[in-house]
Amino acid sequence: LPDVDPSWTPDLKAAKFNVVSTNNDTAQVRLEVPGAYGPTVEFSLRKTARGWRIDDSDAVPSGY
């Protein structure tokens, strides 16, 4: 997007995404981002008819 600062992309490209656990249609995942965006964030995914979607996260509002 033209109005988004592209400086975050190298940090995000270096991020590590790990599945911590799964249980039928839910999963707990961990996202570790190095550099300026460096927090580790854990959140839940829910399997839907359209694929896996974020169910709950401190980084992303619920339902997105």
Side-chain angles (χ1 to χ4, degrees):
L1 299 172
D3 58 341
V4 175
D5 180 3
S7 65
W8 61 269
T9 54
D11 289 340
L12 191 56
K13 286 180 182 178
K16 293 180 183 178
F17 182 82
N18 297 301
V19 177
V20 176
S21 64
T22 60
N23 185 13
N24 296 324
D25 64 348
T26 62
Q28 186 70 23
V29 297
R30 180 179 300 125
L31 179 65
E32 298 176 43
V33 183
Y37 292 92
T40 298
V41 179
E42 290 196 20
F43 53 94
S44 300
L45 299 178
R46 182 168 302 278
K47 190 173 184 179
T48 70
R50 293 183 169 214
W52 290 92
R53 300 291 187 255
I54 295 173
D55 188 40
D56 182 28
S57 168
D58 291 339
V60 178
S62 181
Y64 287 88

